[in-house]
Amino acid sequence: MPVTQFSVPEKSEAISGALPIGANSPQQPPYGLYAEKLSGTSFLAPRCENQQTWMYRILPSSAHRPFETKEPSTPQEKEFHHIPNQLRWDPFDLDDTVSWIHGLRLVAGAGDPTLKQGLGIFIYAAGKSMDPCSAFYSADGDFLIVPQHGVLDIQTELGPLLVRPNEICIIPRGIRYQVVLPHGAVRGYILELYQGHFQLPELGPIGSNCLANSRDFQAPRASFIEDHSGSSTHTIFSKFNGRLFTATQNHSPFDVVAWHGLYYPYKYDLGRFCAVGSISYDHPDPSIFTVLTAPSNHPGTSIADFVIFPPRWLVAENTFRPPWYHRNTMSEFMGLIHGSYDAKAAGQGGFQPAGASLHNVMSAHGPDSGTFGKASTA
């Protein structure tokens, strides 16, 4: 079972005694393991932001042949079209022909991963498990994965995570992992954060609890594959500046026997989100539904906010309850996991599960006419 908590130091060992005591890099780590540090922030980042993890593995991850460009590269190598129109996508198709690696499709974004600025938004659709002798990682940013259809069995360097629809998973930049599809085809959304890391939003006058509580986040437990005889070939896929590279090695990348630190993948069940809202009048800003945020250097302004609209009671009196008409300095990309959205009717041409919408900076948007009519007379 995964361990719980979020943004706190974690430790896990698959073999008792594999974690060194009193040192991170002893001259001779237990069991002849190699100590390897994974840095998710600058060494000199403030203590409250610093994210590092020590891994104790059978062989160092540097033991591989040179990376080579893999063709075709991922579809991030294309120019964005910047337009002020409101955009909506019908449900994205499932694709039974590809695995996770080739099932990523970039649909929106801003910034540049080489400068560690901005973000990318992907749709993923896959029908095949990754090869058991392969692993993937992104050097461009942290993946926030939102399954819409199907189950992801994700083996990471630090241990496994089983992720189902209505759960989310964050895999930090550089973490190597493999995606197995135990129940067939999958589809969902990914927000790749090029800049910084996700954290829980400040609660302000809400107090010490509600929204997403740190105790409900789960990190993996150490688990390793003992395959270092040199008789097998493993392929490492690297997403680097939107392009795909591969390298081979003769040992499993999933050989971390123990680890400790603050830089690790984790998952969260959206059903545990504790929603708050008005109990008198008016519709609060949607920021009250923020699960995770990636702050910028300007207080109160984020690189990205991950917000959900979960099942909840709307009890405000004499109030237009759906989201109001709006123009925003932030771009808004929305997907639908299941159910229906307050402001857009479902059905053909409407906002359907597995579809998406994009309202760019200052693009006016709001409820459709049918929703407006019903909400104004309810």
Side-chain angles (χ1 to χ4, degrees), residues 283 285-287 289 307-312 323 334 338 340-342:
H283 189 302
D285 290 338
S287 50
F289 301 122
V307 177
I308 64 171
F309 297 105
R312 62 202 183 278
M334 182 177 295
H338 59 80
S340 59
Y341 175 50
D342 306 21

Side-chain angles (χ1 to χ4, degrees), residues 166-308:
N166 217 50
E167 296 180 326
I168 61 171
C169 174
I170 286 76
I171 301 183
R173 182 198 310 264
I175 295 283
R176 299 178 179 185
Y177 62 97
Q178 181 186 110
V179 179
V180 174
L181 311 182
H183 302 302
V186 296
R187 177 177 56 196
Y189 312 90
I190 297 172
L191 192 166
E192 184 173 26
L193 183 66
Y194 304 149
Q195 182 173 353
H197 301 289
F198 291 103
Q199 63 184 51
L200 292 172
E202 298 294 340
L203 293 178
I206 293 176
S208 55
N209 299 110
C210 287
L211 308 187
N213 293 306
S214 63
R215 66 184 295 228
D216 294 323
F217 288 80
Q218 296 181 302
R221 289 190 181 275
S223 174
F224 68 97
I225 297 173
E226 195 165 2
D227 178 7
H228 56 280
S229 65
S231 60
S232 59
T233 299
H234 297 259
T235 303
I236 309 299
F237 291 84
S238 171
K239 179 179 174 291
F240 190 90
N241 191 24
R243 302 181 65 193
L244 195 61
F245 294 80
T246 61
T248 59
Q249 60 188 50
N250 61 5
H251 57 96
S252 172
F254 305 112
D255 64 351
V256 177
V257 180
W259 62 271
H260 75 89
L262 274 162
Y263 195 61
Y264 49 81
Y266 54 91
K267 76 169 192 172
Y268 174 73
D269 180 353
L270 298 177
R272 293 179 178 268
F273 186 82
C274 181
V276 298
S278 172
I279 55 174
S280 55
Y281 66 91
D282 275 354
H283 189 302
D285 290 338
S287 50
I288 61 169
F289 301 122
T290 300
V291 180
L292 295 170
T293 183
S296 71
N297 294 328
H298 185 72
T301 301
S302 301
I303 307 302
D305 291 318
F306 177 67
V307 177
I308 64 171

